[in-house]
Amino acid sequence: MMLPSMRRQRTIPAQWGPFSEFEELYERMGKLLGSAMGETSQGDAWVPLADVMETEDSYKVEVEVPGMSKDDIDLQMSDNELVITGETGEAQESGERTHRRTRRYGRFEYRTILPGDIDGERVSASLDKGILSITVPKSDRGKARRISIDQG
């Protein structure tokens, strides 16, 4: 007796798109690069937007921390690593329902490693209009200096 043959159909997931795998790969590479550059140490902390710039005599770091006061932010310098942490509270009144949330709340952490030619003792910081500005002076050790020659 011959049994009828069954044809199996391949099903394509409803959400599948030709670029979805590239988007997932791009997102995973971004997370990998971010962790390799020291942007965050734990998955529950978000990373604020920041710029790191270099001038002739210092490094400048500007971090966006809207609505925060200086008491909400902790700034530490350990060797060449600058670590900025803090926490933003959720601005929601009791009895309110949230329909859309695009702002980030909760614990944040920003880390960056600066080159070895810094003077960690003279770091200064200021907070103005939601921008935390940190200036890390370069060390004088690596700078060229003129040496006088004595006549003998």
Side-chain angles (χ1 to χ4, degrees), residues 1-73:
M1 178 173 166
M2 185 176 235
L3 294 174
S5 64
M6 303 261 314
R7 290 182 77 179
R8 292 186 183 198
Q9 288 185 324
R10 285 190 165 159
T11 58
I12 298 175
Q15 296 291 338
W16 187 85
F19 297 105
S20 63
E21 292 174 7
F22 287 114
E23 290 172 8
E24 181 183 347
L25 179 62
Y26 182 78
E27 182 179 325
R28 291 173 62 191
M29 287 298 294
K31 287 179 182 178
L32 177 64
L33 287 173
S35 66
M37 298 302 288
E39 289 181 353
T40 185
S41 64
Q42 297 181 13
D44 62 341
W46 57 273
V47 180
L49 299 176
D51 294 328
V52 180
M53 298 148 296
E54 180 179 3
T55 65
E56 190 173 313
D57 57 347
S58 66
Y59 295 96
K60 296 191 183 286
V61 181
E62 292 182 348
V63 183
E64 289 187 10
V65 287
M68 299 192 73
S69 71
K70 66 178 188 171
D71 297 330
D72 299 330
I73 303 167

Side-chain angles (χ1 to χ4, degrees), residues 56-60 75 77 79 117-125 133-141 143:
E56 190 173 313
D57 57 347
S58 66
Y59 295 96
K60 296 191 183 286
L75 177 62
M77 190 84 192
D79 293 328
D117 62 340
I118 63 169
D119 185 355
E121 299 297 319
R122 297 187 306 142
V123 176
S124 63
S133 300
I134 302 133
T135 302
V136 183
K138 291 182 180 179
S139 174
D140 293 335
R141 286 183 291 169
K143 291 184 179 177

Side-chain angles (χ1 to χ4, degrees), residues 139-152:
S139 174
D140 293 335
R141 286 183 291 169
K143 291 184 179 177
R145 54 192 164 108
R146 188 167 192 84
I147 300 171
S148 63
I149 302 171
D150 293 334
Q151 188 91 25

